[in-house]
Amino acid sequence: AEGDVDPVRMIEAMEAAFGVTPGHRRNHIKGTCAVGEFVGQASARRYSRSPLFSGEAIPVIGRFSLGGGNPGASDADKGVRGMALQFQLPGGGLQQMAMINVPVFGAAEPKTFHDMLVALQPDPATGKRDPERFRAFVDSHPDFHGLAEYNSRHNPPPSYADSRYFSLHAFRFVNGDGEKTLVRWYFQPRDGVKELSDAEREAAPDDFLESELIGRTEKAPVEWDMVIRIGQPGDPDTDPSKPWPEDREEVKVGVLTLTDAMPQEQGQCGPINFDPLVIADGIEATDDPVLKARSAAYAISFGKRISEQ
Ligand code: HEM
């Protein structure tokens, strides 16, 4: 389609915008591993036959991250925080999710994300980003505005455990009778949603999210409720930049409990490709072009980093 971008070009644009650290992710480079389990609830089975919701405790490998490709980025910087999960399903299958802590994405189609990366590339003359160029990008891409507005009203969290993480994309849940339901989901932190104040953000050190999560899980497990929102006819199914109306029915479908966190080098999350299209029977992807572009781009980033490029 018109708004698609060749994944090789997407990664080239990302490398030019964020730089390259050989052996590491091209995006969401700064991160922390975690482990725990997920227990699905019977309420989910009306909508999905996925083994995720069998009620058995399912082992989970998680990775929390800062958006962007700068390994030295500050944990106080604005921008998105990620939670990626790999569920090891009974019977050997896998389900993955890679979510961010904002309720709308800044691109209705891959080209917008690509154009944003191009607008973020440093000016060869100054070696710095050009605010004029970025403003021109914003002005010409209305599908970026929802995310920009959200970011202007929100500060980053003091802990990875204090954020809500959203699927953003819609998926179809398929139940045992083959009935399909359009859903979006989010993970709601049991400890509540918190944001740094402006003063706290200015005073914060560059690195606190990893040590905070390690310390927190040493004291007690950290939990999130998984909540699905039920789509209605006409709700956008292929556009993650468009929120759904607030009043959509919500159903709690499971609990994620993380028991341990550790630096990436010491955990299992580093060499995983958290491709959001690794989904199990009972959950189906839509034709969302951003979702498809992600899968292709992650594969290239993964192939490079795993071969030390
Ligand atoms: C066209 C749009 C997007 C592109 C091109 C893109 C690209 C990438 C790439 C290349 C990586 C590194 C993959 C790796 O080396 O393993 C990554 C990581 C990540 N992305 Fe995206 N992304 C896009 C949209 C999104 C969206 C919509 C979300 C959230 C719903 C998201 C959440 C994440 C997260 C959480 C990670 C870190 C995963 C991990 O911890 O390994 N991305 N992205």
Side-chain angles (χ1 to χ4, degrees):
E2 207 185 317
D4 282 347
V5 177
D6 179 281
V8 173
R9 279 186 49 220
M10 181 74 92
I11 293 296
E12 278 168 7
M14 187 172 266
E15 292 177 338
F18 296 152
V20 174
T21 308
H24 291 268
R25 285 168 173 76
R26 284 346 189 221
N27 192 7
H28 288 259
I29 188 170
K30 188 179 182 186
T32 300
C33 290
V35 292
E37 62 178 40
F38 177 83
V39 179
Q41 292 179 323
S43 56
R45 275 172 252 151
R46 191 177 148 202
Y47 301 103
S48 172
R49 62 183 181 226
S50 168
L52 195 55
F53 305 114
S54 63
E56 276 179 58
I58 293 168
V60 173
I61 299 173
R63 183 172 180 273
F64 292 93
S65 58
L66 248 61
N70 172 9
S74 169
D75 293 347
D77 285 352
K78 287 214 177 200
V80 303
R81 308 291 179 262
M83 177 165 80
L85 303 173
Q86 182 184 75
F87 303 84
Q88 295 157 322
L89 301 173
L94 291 177
Q95 166 73 44
Q96 296 191 161
M97 302 175 184
M99 300 169 281
I100 51 179
N101 67 339
V102 293
V104 284
F105 193 56
E109 52 181 21
K111 185 161 186 307
T112 299
F113 193 79
H114 172 268
D115 292 354
M116 178 198 72
L117 294 170
V118 172
L120 288 173
Q121 289 168 10
D123 184 322
T126 61
K128 292 206 178 87
R129 284 178 178 172
D130 176 354
E132 285 300 323
R133 235 167 97 206
F134 196 74
R135 208 162 305 132
F137 157 76
V138 175
D139 289 347
S140 55
H141 292 78
D143 50 334
F144 183 75
H145 295 180
L147 177 64
E149 272 159 37
Y150 184 86
N151 279 341
S152 71
R153 284 183 283 109
H154 292 273
N155 272 343
S159 165
Y160 281 130
D162 293 335
S163 265
R164 206 183 264 150
Y165 297 94
F166 298 85
S167 70
L168 295 186
H169 308 286
F171 290 82
R172 285 203 170 75
F173 272 22
V174 187
N175 72 12
D177 296 327
E179 292 165 342
K180 298 187 181 183
T181 309
L182 190 71
V183 306
R184 285 176 171 178
W185 63 73
Y186 63 89
F187 281 69
Q188 174 73 24
R190 287 251 173 118
D191 292 346
V193 175
K194 297 186 191 74
E195 288 174 11
L196 296 170
S197 67
D198 289 337
E200 285 168 341
R201 199 171 88 78
E202 268 152 43
D206 284 350
D207 299 298
F208 59 89
L209 287 173
E210 180 166 282
S211 54
E212 196 279 344
L213 193 67
I214 293 171
R216 192 175 186 124
T217 49
E218 275 166 6
K219 284 189 217 106
V222 184
E223 295 175 320
W224 283 262
D225 290 316
M226 180 179 174
V227 180
I228 56 171
R229 304 186 67 216
I230 311 292
Q232 294 292 317
D235 284 348
D237 57 350
T238 58
D239 183 349
S241 75
K242 290 213 175 66
W244 286 358
E246 286 295 328
D247 63 0
R248 289 296 173 260
E249 185 191 351
E250 299 197 340
V251 182
K252 201 186 121 184
V253 293
V255 181
L256 172 71
T257 304
L258 297 182
T259 47
D260 222 346
M262 64 291 293
Q264 308 195 66
E265 305 72 43
Q266 293 161 35
Q268 297 160 275
C269 74
I272 293 176
N273 174 9
F274 288 94
D275 178 341
L277 280 184
V278 173
I279 47 184
D281 178 59
I283 302 180
E284 280 179 3
T286 64
D287 280 333
D288 180 338
V290 177
L291 181 59
K292 291 181 183 172
R294 289 179 66 189
S295 188
Y298 292 29
I300 294 172
S301 174
F302 179 71
K304 287 186 161 184
R305 64 185 172 88
I306 217 76
S307 53
E308 292 304 319
Q309 293 173 58

